[in-house]
Amino acid sequence: MRILIVEDDDRIAKPLAEDLKHQHHAVDIAGDGIEGWEYAQAGNYDLILLDLMLPRLDGITLCKRLRASNCNAFILMLTARDTTSDKIIGLDAGADDYLVKPFELEELAARIRALSRRSPETRQLILIHGELQLDPSNCHVTYADKPLSLTPKEYMILECFLKNPTQILTRSAILDKLWEFDKLSGEETVKTHITNLRKKLRAVGSSEDFIETVYGVGYRLCPK
């Protein structure tokens, strides 16, 4: 694998790099978050070992930036913080795994092997329709590179359309998929959410009919 280590402590980064090279990996080291970003943009890495506490740009912000830029490398967070909330923040930012310092090199090697065995089908792929992109790994949505701020239900509806780009979805079908356990919601709730979703898409430059109404049936994405 081609691996990037983003770690500001040479006492950790250099021995780690030597160990990974002995395992026949190609390894680069970046000493801070900005340098890590520059390395990641210039190189095609399979795995990024990312420290949480970094100068110039912290690990969480860098992780989010990498995912927003469609970086598909596996990201393994390395940090001294071991609380559940810290782990959740790291994983929600787009990390694939989380390892607490100090750690044994054997455990890191095992985690790298586990990540390398993941097939592309097991990873959450970015959903694209025209200029719209939705990244399930961090719930980041953009249209023409402009970010969309969506409510959870708006996000779920949009994701549903993107996973079924040629299918006409009725209000009842959307209701069944997304409100399965909410008996108080009706089809008018779906209509309201789609109306709001259309407004937000138009606000960032989409066409009027990005989500088409198929009268008497339901809704679908406008063909590209």
Side-chain angles (χ1 to χ4, degrees):
M1 300 178 75
R2 188 174 183 196
I3 299 175
L4 172 63
I5 300 172
V6 189
E7 168 64 67
D8 62 316
D9 189 340
D10 285 344
R11 295 171 298 177
I12 296 174
K14 289 184 177 180
L16 181 55
E18 287 302 313
D19 185 74
L20 292 171
K21 289 175 182 178
H22 288 153
Q23 298 174 43
H24 308 293
H25 298 296
V27 184
D28 292 317
I29 299 175
D32 59 59
I34 296 297
E35 189 178 15
W37 168 251
E38 293 170 348
Y39 267 85
Q41 292 298 290
N44 185 23
Y45 294 97
D46 302 298
L47 171 67
I48 298 174
L49 302 179
L50 181 57
D51 185 31
L52 189 65
M53 302 297 293
L54 291 167
R56 301 177 70 193
L57 185 68
D58 66 272
I60 294 296
T61 302
L62 176 55
C63 186
K64 290 180 178 179
R65 184 181 292 186
L66 289 168
R67 292 310 188 206
S69 69
N70 296 331
C71 173
N72 290 320
F74 291 112
I75 297 178
L76 199 163
M77 286 279 191
L78 304 176
T79 177
R81 296 180 175 180
D82 61 353
T83 66
T84 299
S85 60
D86 287 322
K87 293 178 182 178
I88 291 172
I89 290 171
L91 295 172
D92 283 347
D96 295 285
D97 202 355
Y98 198 105
L99 190 57
V100 177
K101 302 175 184 176
F103 53 84
E104 297 294 333
L105 293 176
E106 290 81 2
E107 181 181 1
L108 176 61
R111 289 179 183 250
I112 292 174
R113 289 194 298 271
L115 287 173
S116 68
R117 287 194 297 268
R118 291 189 187 179
S119 65
E121 291 77 11
T122 65
R123 303 188 67 187
Q124 293 183 302
L125 301 179
I126 294 173
L127 302 174
I128 300 174
H129 187 84
E131 294 188 275
L132 181 72
Q133 294 192 11
L134 183 151
D135 187 347
S137 69
N138 58 12
C139 300
H140 186 74
V141 183
T142 61
Y143 185 89
D145 295 325
K146 299 175 184 176
L148 269 74
S149 178
L150 304 179
T151 67
K153 288 300 184 187
E154 290 166 358
Y155 175 89
M156 292 166 69
I157 289 172
L158 185 59
E159 185 179 37
C160 189
F161 278 119
L162 289 170
K163 287 182 175 179
N164 303 277
T166 62
Q167 184 177 342
I168 298 174
L169 300 176
T170 65
R171 292 181 191 174
S172 60
I174 296 172
L175 197 62
D176 289 341
K177 287 176 180 291
L178 306 183
W179 280 270
E180 183 177 356
F181 301 109
D182 186 351
K183 304 302 181 184
L184 298 178
S185 296
E187 293 185 11
E188 285 302 310
T189 303
V190 175
K191 181 179 179 181
T192 299
H193 283 295
I194 288 181
T195 298
N196 293 336
L197 184 54
R198 282 170 165 163
K199 289 179 180 178
K200 291 182 178 181
L201 285 165
R202 287 197 297 270
V204 292
S206 78
S207 62
E208 289 285 329
D209 59 352
F210 191 87
I211 298 176
E212 292 183 322
T213 297
V214 182
Y215 291 99
V217 184
Y219 308 93
R220 69 177 177 186
L221 289 180
C222 178
K224 291 182 291 184

